[in-house]
Amino acid sequence: MKKVKKAIIPAAGLGTRFLPATKAMPKEMLPIINKPTIQYIVEEAIEAGIEDIIIVTGKGKRAIEDHFDSAFELETKLLEAGKLELLKEVQRSAKVELHYIRQKEPKGLGHAVWCARRFIGNEPFGVLLGDDIVTGKVPCLRQLIDQYETYGKSVIGVQNVASDMTHRYGVIDPGERRDRLYSVNRFVEKPKPGTAPSDLAIMGRYVFSPKIFDYLELMEVGAGGEIQLTDAIQKLNEEEQVHAYQFEGTRYDVGERLGYILTTLSFAMKSKDLRQDVLDMMASMLKEERYASAFEYRGGVDHGLASTAGGV
Ligand code: G1P
């Protein structure tokens, strides 16, 4: 069986949820602390053993290419200044070959993946979506590759979500289960509230056999008027079984504003340098908030205090 050595990162989305920040900057370049979100994704792929990544970009995404380009001047300066830790950080993504292709029209995720078909050729490959950062002992994509290399079937990463959140995801109707691995009766993209077949949702990590391109090729439009990857997966599942794997790890949704803030806070909590300062700051914000509401309750209004505490 061919090994999984290539991966696609679709990064052509418009990022409207983060406007105006994303007017001139790709949403994939929004940082979680000091690292652009897309770099977390690239690093996961590298740790999973991927050797070639193709990033599917669109209009206004040049900053992604610049970011991953080698920065000779910066690297020389860091070396001269003896800032070797920073230099290592800057050079981390040099361990993989990065390639770029443009999705010329925003026709959806399925279409974005299809755009990379010539680069993939007749090999199995991974897909990592940029809105989902996953942390854990074993990189999420590696867990899926291990399943692919054991059973030879395409495999989709899933996790449980709250049942009132299923309409935001692709959801599976699970069949037989062996530990964390499921056979799947049906894949449904964004089921209407109350109609989801389970609470196991697709979380932005996939390993595919190249057969998936045959179904993406049909270009059928699905939910939201877009060519949906999930619909092609369902078709593939009818021809050659597709597995779902409930991966281990924590998944962060950086594709929407609250998720982005929570991810930043959560990563700050794990940072030795930031943790205590952030905790102290939050404690004092909470104190101010309580003080402000107690003050309002007594009939006085101190807008100054209330607004300092706003937003957290
Ligand atoms: C996409 C997929 C969906 C998946 C989700 C994970 O949706 O279409 O199946 O559950 O990513 O983040 P999007 O978030 O692009 O609407």
Side-chain angles (χ1 to χ4, degrees), residues 109 137 256:
L109 178 60
K137 258 197 273 154
E256 51 100 22

Coordinates of all heavy atoms in Angstrom, one line a residue, residues 109 137 256:
L109 N -15.5 23.9 -0.4 CA -14.4 23.1 0.0 C -14.1 21.9 -0.9 O -13.0 21.6 -1.2 CB -14.8 22.5 1.4 CG -13.8 21.6 2.1 CD1 -12.4 22.3 2.3 CD2 -14.3 21.2 3.5
K137 N -1.2 14.3 22.1 CA 0.1 13.6 22.1 C 0.5 13.2 20.7 O 1.7 13.4 20.3 CB 0.0 12.4 23.1 CG 0.6 12.6 24.4 CD 0.9 11.3 25.2 CE -0.3 11.0 25.9 NZ -0.8 9.8 26.3
E256 N -14.2 31.0 14.1 CA -15.2 32.0 14.5 C -14.6 32.8 15.7 O -13.7 32.3 16.4 CB -16.5 31.3 14.7 CG -16.5 30.1 15.6 CD -17.0 30.5 17.0 OE1 -17.7 31.5 17.2 OE2 -16.6 29.7 17.9

